[in-house]
Amino acid sequence: MDTGRTTSTSSQPFPAVRHIVWALAVGTVLVISGTRHERPPLPPSAGTEAPVAPTGSTGRPAAPAQALAYLAPRRPVPEPPSYVSRSSVAPAPLSLPPLRPAPLRPLRTGPAEAGPGELGPAGAAPATPVPALSAEAPKSAVRPLTPSTPLRLRIPALRVDAPMMKLALNAAGALEAPPDDNPVLAGWYAGGTVPGAVGTAVTAGHVDTRLGPGVFHQLGAVRKGASVEIVRADRRTAVFTVYAVEVYDKKAFPDRKVYGPSARPELRVITCGGDYDKKTGYQDNVVVFAAMTAVR
């Protein structure tokens, strides 16, 4: 029975053929690009910047061969740091200072300074003030100490705290100085009175050395009334009070006045001073006179 509807039986092209063609094209492209990535890239030519090496997911180069391939062949190799390689040349010795520091000149501790009318030419003060020893040594009822080896010499006003060594006389009969290679060392005349005992004890030290300023570089700045302390091996400290500071020409040094005997414990602190001559050294001596006033 005819219903008036007809069915079409014509054949349509199969759609999967087109998909297969596209898949083959894409696969060919992927294969070709894959073979290119497997080859290590050529190093960059001169004048061009080296590309950054490809990295994996961890941020590291994909392979050591590929990372090395990215290094430019003409890239300069950095020099190692200076502290890695040691020079075969020995360091030059330290050069000594060409000039010795001038010591401080002693301050006037005797009579009052002269007025304007008593000054030298053009109103200038004397170049080397020499304080007179007119002031009497301070009187003290402190008992003298028995002899004991001195260990340290201290001058608090100058911040001096020096170890002490024994000194002797040289062939000419002059007092030897401490070694010139130890700026902080002082000495005492072991053939005389021990500091703190009855008599005149003598100590000495350098104003400067070949290594720099000596232990008594500022001795000339000591004022009358300052303290000089001698620490002894018997654990007692003899305290001396300065009552005069004088400067003497070495050619006319008053041995008797400086080294003469005393009926009580006295101390002399001696160093060089005045002008310096390269051949003969310092021309003067600075001498501090002190008397024992306390024992600790």
Side-chain angles (χ1 to χ4, degrees), residues 167-178 189 202 204 250 253 255 259 270 285:
L167 301 179
L169 301 179
N170 58 21
L175 183 65
E176 293 181 342
Y189 176 46
V202 179
K250 288 186 177 182
F253 191 83
D255 294 340
Y259 303 135
I270 305 174
N285 280 122

Side-chain angles (χ1 to χ4, degrees), residues 12-25:
Q12 298 180 355
F14 186 64
V17 176
R18 183 174 55 183
H19 296 166
I20 293 173
V21 174
W22 279 106
L24 290 175

Side-chain angles (χ1 to χ4, degrees), residues 90-237:
L94 295 176
S95 58
L96 300 179
L99 299 176
R100 288 174 175 256
L104 297 178
R105 296 187 181 275
L107 300 174
R108 183 178 296 274
T109 58
E113 296 183 0
E118 300 177 2
L119 295 177
T128 306
V130 180
L133 193 59
S134 59
E136 296 183 359
K139 298 180 180 181
S140 175
V142 179
R143 290 185 178 182
L145 299 173
T146 57
S148 180
T149 303
L151 302 179
R152 303 190 72 86
L153 184 149
R154 296 171 179 168
I155 306 179
L158 303 182
R159 298 181 180 180
V160 171
D161 186 357
M164 303 188 71
M165 63 171 291
K166 294 181 179 180
L167 301 179
L169 301 179
N170 58 21
L175 183 65
E176 293 181 342
D180 192 42
D181 58 354
N182 192 338
V184 300
L185 186 62
W188 66 285
Y189 176 46
T193 302
V194 178
V198 175
T200 302
V202 179
T203 62
H206 288 289
V207 67
D208 70 345
T209 68
R210 59 188 180 90
L211 300 180
V215 63
F216 291 152
H217 181 69
Q218 295 181 332
L219 187 63
V222 172
R223 295 179 179 272
K224 179 180 177 180
S227 296
V228 180
E229 303 174 358
I230 302 294
V231 180
R232 305 169 12 131
D234 59 0
R235 297 184 180 181
R236 309 196 75 177
T237 300

